[in-house]
């Protein structure tokens, strides 16, 4: 009689190999060059794809198990948040301006990253990166969906949430994040991995998800905190994947070093410019703040970033080209960008306001060498104009940077009283830039950036033809409801009325 033999349980390493590397095969009736045409496009040399290591050794069956558990917890919490009028637990409805920017600029970026990873997973011949890209593509679309679902409850009660998809494509300040992702998605597969794995995941995510999600908790927004925590384990995996890509490429061939260094220089600066939005959200848009942008940068930029570049120094990688200019800008960028958002608030899908005396005292304490000297006098002057019934609004068209698409609101690295402006001529056309970093990126790839879609010229094209009202219709902006000053807005009145009613009924 035959004896039943217990099946030997596979170890983690063997199971990982069986469900990833062993799924690959060698092509027979097409060459690898035909199947993977972009592998030689960027000049990167890969000699052995089997050297790719996934530090998490995550297989698809384990992935679905973990994600399903997170989904159950996430939707249970946001359902409870909606049923218990969680939107009334906010410190102040001003906080919603930060969420509106997040929904209009960052959440569509998650979807763009999903599309990008789905593409490059097809373009890599190695099975290890194919599986890793497949998982990250699913992560990114899940993040976009959970962020939209978490914030959808606010759309029932407040203005400015209704048309984030249209505004992502058409409104001026969201083109900053849009151009970042369009730039990465139109790059080759290796550069895309550096752009997202290093710049978006390591530089941007650290400075957005950790301190900003803490700020959401401080301001009573448990829906946003929940999607932040739900994504954290994914983000840790993404950052690790991004560093693994850099190390893998550098270990394959010494000729890869200058290419990777150039990408790190470029994508650090591109990511840093997107962080201009994040700095303003942290310093100005959280009624109850957990830390300043400067404090967040010191922890997640200087300490973590410094440790990363020390680790990569053994491969010959140096700190990014714009690192020193970024450090000089930290004490200025949130103030300069908020001043820009205030003067153009008629063209935004969120509210702006003049900081209170208490807010300005807090900012002065966090920025002792810059705020009182350069920015408090400006805010006092703006407040004086508002009190006189002549609020400061700038109806002129901002000069946009051809690379990052931000208005030229930033100052020279060594002179905060002088607006930074650079320009170059290419094929007879003049192009404008907000910094040396953006000009350098343009001059390395001019044919790419001359094709950039800039929102300001759209004002003079059909169907707008210079009519501000037509432009507002085109960007789905409800004038007087979505934009303008927070004081006296529908959002402020509704929030205070509903919270007062809820307190009375308790």
């Amino acid at each position: 009689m035959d004896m039943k033999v217990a099946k030997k349980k596979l170890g983690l390493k063997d199971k990982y190999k069986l469900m990833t590397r062993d799924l690959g095969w060698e092509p027979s009736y097409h060459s690898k060059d035909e199947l993977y045409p972009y592998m030689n496009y960027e000049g990167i040399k890969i000699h052995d794809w089997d050297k790719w290591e996934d530090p998490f050794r995550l297989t698809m069956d384990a992935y679905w198990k973990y994600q399903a558990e997170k989904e159950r917890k996430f939707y249970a919490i946001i359902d409870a948040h909606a049923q218990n009028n969680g939107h009334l637990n906010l410190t102040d409805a001003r906080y919603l301006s930060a969420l509106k920017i997040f929904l209009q600029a960052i959440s569509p970026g998650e979807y763009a990253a999903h599309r990008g990873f789905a593409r490059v997973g097809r373009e890599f011949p190695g099975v290890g990166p194919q599986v890793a890209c497949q998982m990250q593509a699913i992560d990114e679309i899940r993040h976009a969906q959970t962020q939209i679902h978490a914030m959808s409850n606010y759309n029932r009660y407040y203005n400015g949430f209704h048309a984030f998809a249209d505004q992502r494509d058409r409104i001026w300040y969201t083109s900053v994040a849009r151009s970042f992702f369009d730039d990465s998605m139109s790059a080759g597969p290796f550069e895309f991995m550096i752009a997202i794995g290093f710049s978006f995941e390591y530089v941007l995510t650290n400075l957005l998800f950790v301190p900003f999600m803490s700020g959401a908790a401080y301001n009573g927004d448990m829906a946003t905190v929940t999607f932040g925590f739900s994504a954290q384990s994914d983000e840790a995996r993404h950052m690790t994947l991004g560093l693994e890509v850099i190390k893998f490429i550098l270990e394959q061939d010494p000729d890869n070093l200058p290419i990777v260094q150039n990408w790190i220089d470029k994508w650090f600066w591109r990511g840093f410019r997107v962080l201009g939005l994040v700095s303003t959200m942290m310093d100005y848009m959280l009624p109850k703040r957990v830390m300043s942008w400067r404090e967040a940068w010191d922890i997640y930029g200087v300490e973590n970033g410094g440790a990363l570049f020390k680790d990569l120094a053994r491969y010959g990688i140096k700190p990014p080209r714009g690192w020193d200019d970024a450090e000089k800008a930290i004490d200025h960028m949130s103030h300069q960008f908020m001043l820009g958002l205030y003067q153009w608030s008629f063209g935004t899908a969120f509210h702006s306001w003049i900081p209170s005396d208490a807010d300005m005292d807090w900012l002065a304490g966090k920025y002792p060498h810059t705020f009182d000297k350069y920015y408090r006098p400006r805010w006092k002057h703006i407040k004086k104009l508002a009190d006189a019934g002549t609020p400061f609004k700038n109806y002129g068209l901002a000069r946009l940077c051809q690379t990052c698409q931000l208005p030229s609101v930033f100052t020279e690295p060594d002179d905060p009283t002088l607006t930074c402006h650079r320009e170059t001529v290419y094929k007879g056309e003049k192009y404008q830039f907000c910094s040396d970093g953006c000009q350098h990126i343009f001059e390395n790839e001019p044919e790419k950036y001359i094709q950039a879609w800039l929102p300001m010229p759209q004002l003079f094209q059909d169907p707008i033809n210079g009519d501000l009202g037509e432009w507002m219709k085109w960007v789905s902006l409800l004038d007087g409801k979505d934009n303008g000053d927070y004081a006296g807005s529908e959002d402020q009145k509704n929030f205070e009325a509903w919270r007062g009613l809820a307190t009375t009924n308790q």
Side-chain angles (χ1 to χ4, degrees):
M1 174 172 138
D2 294 337
M3 294 180 61
K4 289 186 177 179
V5 179
K7 290 184 179 180
K8 183 180 178 182
K9 188 175 181 180
L10 293 175
L12 185 62
K13 189 174 183 179
D14 291 334
K15 183 179 179 182
Y16 173 75
K17 182 180 178 182
L18 182 67
M19 298 187 70
T20 55
R21 307 305 170 92
D22 287 358
L23 296 178
W25 67 89
E26 288 296 316
S28 55
Y29 54 90
H30 282 292
S31 69
K32 281 196 171 182
D33 287 341
E34 291 175 306
L35 287 177
Y36 308 108
Y38 292 101
M39 282 304 93
N40 300 318
Y41 170 69
E42 299 161 292
I44 294 293
K45 300 174 182 177
I46 303 296
H47 303 293
D48 185 2
W49 281 99
D50 288 335
K51 294 291 185 182
W52 177 287
E53 291 292 338
D54 178 3
F56 288 88
R57 299 205 183 282
L58 190 62
T59 55
M60 193 54 76
D61 60 332
Y63 173 82
W64 289 122
K65 178 182 176 181
Y66 298 146
Q67 298 301 77
E69 183 63 27
K70 289 196 292 186
E71 290 282 285
R72 282 193 293 270
K73 293 178 179 178
F74 169 77
Y75 283 102
I77 293 172
I78 66 165
D79 189 39
H81 177 267
Q83 290 183 22
N84 289 282
N85 291 322
H87 67 285
L88 299 180
N89 293 327
L90 299 178
T91 50
D92 193 292
R94 285 182 304 161
Y95 165 80
L96 295 171
S97 287
L99 288 192
K100 293 170 189 176
I101 294 177
F102 193 104
L103 184 62
Q104 295 158 14
I106 306 301
S107 298
E110 302 272 18
Y111 179 72
H114 148 73
R115 293 180 59 200
F117 276 104
R119 174 178 67 87
V120 301
R122 167 61 184 85
E123 292 171 353
F124 285 134
V127 181
Q130 287 174 359
V131 173
C133 288
Q134 178 187 9
M135 291 182 187
Q136 186 153 348
I138 300 169
D139 284 343
E140 301 294 2
I141 196 169
R142 175 180 172 271
H143 294 174
Q145 291 170 343
T146 55
Q147 288 164 17
I148 293 167
H149 292 163
M151 288 184 264
S152 63
N153 187 53
Y154 294 116
N155 185 46
R156 299 169 63 189
Y157 304 102
Y158 304 103
N159 296 314
F161 289 95
H162 64 287
F164 68 92
D166 285 345
Q167 288 157 354
R168 179 262 180 187
D169 288 339
R170 298 178 177 185
I171 212 162
W172 60 275
Y173 56 89
T174 58
S175 73
V176 180
R178 173 191 170 178
S179 72
F180 176 96
F181 288 100
D182 286 353
D183 193 350
S184 67
M185 291 172 66
S186 57
F190 289 106
E191 184 180 352
F192 174 85
M193 295 295 285
I194 302 293
I196 302 301
F198 164 68
S199 185
F200 181 58
E201 301 293 356
Y202 201 92
V203 177
L204 203 100
T205 300
N206 256 347
L207 282 157
L208 177 61
F209 271 83
V210 182
F212 184 71
M213 295 307 159
S214 299
Y218 265 52
N219 286 275
D221 180 11
M222 295 315 297
T224 298
V225 173
T226 302
F227 81 63
F229 285 158
S230 179
Q232 273 305 302
S233 59
D234 300 336
E235 301 299 351
R237 188 158 34 82
H238 299 172
M239 285 188 281
T240 305
L241 174 62
L243 299 185
E244 173 60 30
V245 170
I246 295 174
K247 293 177 181 180
F248 171 73
I249 296 173
L250 293 172
E251 289 171 353
Q252 286 292 306
D253 196 288
D255 290 346
N256 295 339
L257 174 61
I259 302 174
V260 173
Q261 180 69 63
N262 185 55
W263 286 339
I264 287 176
D265 292 347
K266 169 186 173 179
W267 287 103
F268 167 76
W269 192 254
R270 293 241 54 192
F272 184 72
R273 275 302 184 233
V274 177
L275 285 171
L277 289 169
V278 180
S279 69
T280 307
M281 290 158 66
M282 288 185 61
D283 276 349
Y284 282 87
M285 295 185 177
L286 301 181
K288 192 176 179 182
R289 302 170 182 86
V290 60
M291 65 173 67
S292 68
W293 164 245
R294 158 53 77 182
E295 291 168 323
W297 173 259
D298 286 344
I299 296 171
Y300 302 106
V302 176
E303 292 182 19
N304 291 6
L308 168 65
F309 294 119
K310 284 180 182 178
D311 183 34
L312 294 177
R314 59 195 172 105
Y315 297 101
I317 292 293
K318 300 175 183 177
R321 172 189 177 96
W323 185 267
D324 292 339
D325 283 351
E327 174 59 31
K328 293 174 184 176
I330 293 300
D331 289 338
H332 300 276
M333 58 194 294
S334 67
H335 316 301
Q336 292 170 355
F337 200 64
M338 185 62 179
L339 285 161
L341 291 176
Y342 179 82
Q343 64 181 298
W344 293 306
S345 62
F346 60 88
T348 65
F350 58 87
H351 298 294
S352 61
W353 54 87
I354 299 170
S356 67
D357 290 340
D359 289 337
M360 287 195 273
D361 289 342
W362 184 88
L363 290 165
K366 298 298 182 181
Y367 299 94
H369 304 296
T370 57
F371 185 78
D372 279 344
K373 184 175 181 181
Y374 300 109
Y375 304 108
R376 190 191 288 265
R378 297 191 205 180
W379 284 119
K380 283 188 171 182
H381 176 68
I382 289 172
K383 187 176 186 305
K384 184 178 178 181
L385 292 175
D387 291 342
T390 55
F392 177 61
K393 302 297 177 189
N394 182 355
Y395 290 98
L397 292 183
R399 181 175 57 222
L400 297 184
C401 175
Q402 187 73 22
T403 303
C404 73
Q405 303 197 12
L406 276 166
S408 295
V409 296
F410 302 111
T411 53
E412 291 285 352
D414 297 311
D415 186 356
T417 65
L418 184 64
T419 300
C420 185
H421 171 238
R422 303 288 184 268
E423 64 182 40
T424 192
V425 176
Y426 181 72
K427 291 186 175 180
E429 291 284 339
K430 185 181 291 186
Y431 297 94
Q432 319 283 337
F433 308 96
C434 69
S435 60
D436 292 323
C438 285
Q439 182 180 6
H440 177 73
I441 292 169
F442 176 92
E443 290 174 346
N444 274 350
E445 303 174 83
E447 286 296 332
K448 184 175 191 178
Y449 293 101
I450 63 173
Q451 302 174 64
W453 183 92
L454 298 177
M456 292 306 174
Q458 186 63 46
L459 279 167
F460 299 102
Q461 300 174 18
D462 288 334
I464 301 165
N465 298 319
D467 188 318
L468 186 60
E470 287 297 319
W471 176 82
M472 288 187 175
K473 291 179 186 177
W474 186 67
V475 299
S476 302
L477 186 60
L478 302 177
D479 191 21
K481 292 186 176 183
D482 299 338
N483 57 359
D485 289 347
Y486 174 71
S489 66
E490 282 189 7
D491 280 359
Q492 182 191 35
K493 293 175 183 176
N494 290 339
F495 177 74
E496 292 176 355
W498 290 328
R499 187 149 73 171
L501 183 62
T503 304
T504 303
N505 292 335
Q506 287 177 354

